[in-house]
Amino acid sequence: LRPILVAVLRAVVFDVDFTLCRPGPELSALGYRELGLRYGLDLDPALYDEARAAAITAVKKHPELDHDEEIWIVFTEQIIRGMGGTGDTYAAAVEMESRWVESAHFELYEDAAPTVRALRGRGLKIGLLSNSSRDLAHFVDHHRLEADAFLTSRAHGKTKPHESIFRAVLGLLDVDPCDAAMVGDTLHEDIEGALSVGMGAVLIDRAGRYPEIENRLTDLAGLAAALGLE
Ligand SMILES: [Mg+2]
């Protein structure tokens, strides 16, 4: 990653999942197990990690980067099948996928709210930008976050890393790309997408997925310094 080259930092845009929050128990291996039983599916939680990794490898992104719910239902169905689900797994996948919309099914990382509050306290605008169908107004409210603008791929129509979704959230924040930085956990969608429109970008690699990236952070503790604020 090249160093951040923001002219005058005026706004910070955060990705949501795995940057500010993680999925809770409803979305875990045991969540699949419990949901599956209601559909007559005997899912083995021990197979979850392997099933999810295989589904990630196989997932097909929309060629035009359109928001497409069906892609994630197919993805979820593949996890269910990888955990031992057979027969009709579609309805269970639809219900599991719908759980990703609920704010209460996520837990903020401990550093999320304090970091956002501190940046906002310095006069920076805060945006949230998520490839999801979640109601981010509700999410912000439920988790007592503060944000000046938020946008999902469902509301916008395109997903990260499409440049239009970055431009759209910057429009809501009323800042130029060169005055804003993106903070996210996904190299392609968050970081490359932001850099392509001229934003700065900071990779938050909590899970250690990108050891080869030099100036990544493993949590939000060093974010202010990475943004050149300290
Ligand atoms: Mg993310």
Side-chain angles (χ1 to χ4, degrees):
L1 289 185
R2 63 176 189 246
I4 296 191
L5 296 168
V6 283
V8 182
L9 187 64
R10 295 181 55 218
V12 180
V13 179
F14 286 90
D15 164 57
V16 178
D17 293 352
F18 302 104
T19 298
L20 295 177
C21 69
R22 66 181 147 231
E26 295 84 354
L27 298 166
S28 71
L30 290 173
Y32 271 83
R33 166 91 193 141
E34 162 268 311
L35 183 144
L37 287 174
R38 286 193 286 103
Y39 289 89
L41 300 169
D42 185 18
L43 306 184
D44 182 354
L47 295 176
Y48 172 78
D49 286 341
E50 198 185 314
R52 187 164 198 278
I56 287 174
T57 307
V59 71
K60 303 260 190 298
K61 296 290 168 69
H62 189 281
E64 307 297 324
L65 295 176
D66 289 357
H67 177 88
D68 183 348
E69 314 259 329
E70 196 60 29
I71 286 175
W72 295 107
I73 293 170
V74 170
F75 173 80
T76 305
E77 205 173 3
Q78 227 181 322
I79 296 175
I80 289 171
R81 292 186 163 271
M83 293 175 72
T86 52
D88 186 0
T89 51
Y90 187 79
V94 168
E95 184 181 335
M96 179 51 84
E97 173 55 19
S98 75
R99 290 186 173 186
W100 282 81
V101 175
E102 295 294 326
S103 304
H105 290 166
F106 295 84
E107 299 161 354
L108 289 189
Y109 294 108
E110 277 185 12
D111 55 9
T115 299
V116 169
R117 201 178 308 121
L119 292 173
R120 210 152 177 262
R122 305 174 79 125
L124 294 168
K125 291 183 180 177
I126 302 295
L128 304 185
L129 186 61
S130 171
N131 280 354
S132 73
S133 299
R134 216 163 306 146
D135 177 346
L136 289 183
H138 182 270
F139 182 86
V140 162
D141 198 45
H142 179 85
H143 291 290
R144 294 167 200 229
L145 276 173
E146 298 173 36
D148 301 283
F150 29 75
L151 187 61
T152 62
S153 54
R154 186 194 177 122
H156 178 69
K158 296 286 186 189
T159 56
K160 294 177 284 185
H162 198 282
E163 65 168 85
S164 76
I165 194 169
F166 290 94
R167 294 194 192 285
V169 77
L170 294 170
L172 293 173
L173 289 164
D174 193 26
V175 297
D176 293 327
C178 62
D179 297 334
M182 179 75 202
V183 178
D185 72 298
T186 308
L187 190 58
H188 181 54
E189 291 166 358
D190 296 316
I191 305 306
E192 293 174 359
L195 294 175
S196 77
V197 299
M199 296 172 72
V202 178
L203 179 67
I204 305 297
D205 187 16
R206 297 186 189 265
R209 291 160 67 200
Y210 304 104
E212 73 283 8
I213 302 291
E214 237 173 68
N215 47 351
R216 73 201 163 110
L217 300 180
T218 52
D219 57 36
L220 297 174
L223 183 60
L227 293 170
L229 298 169
E230 290 174 355

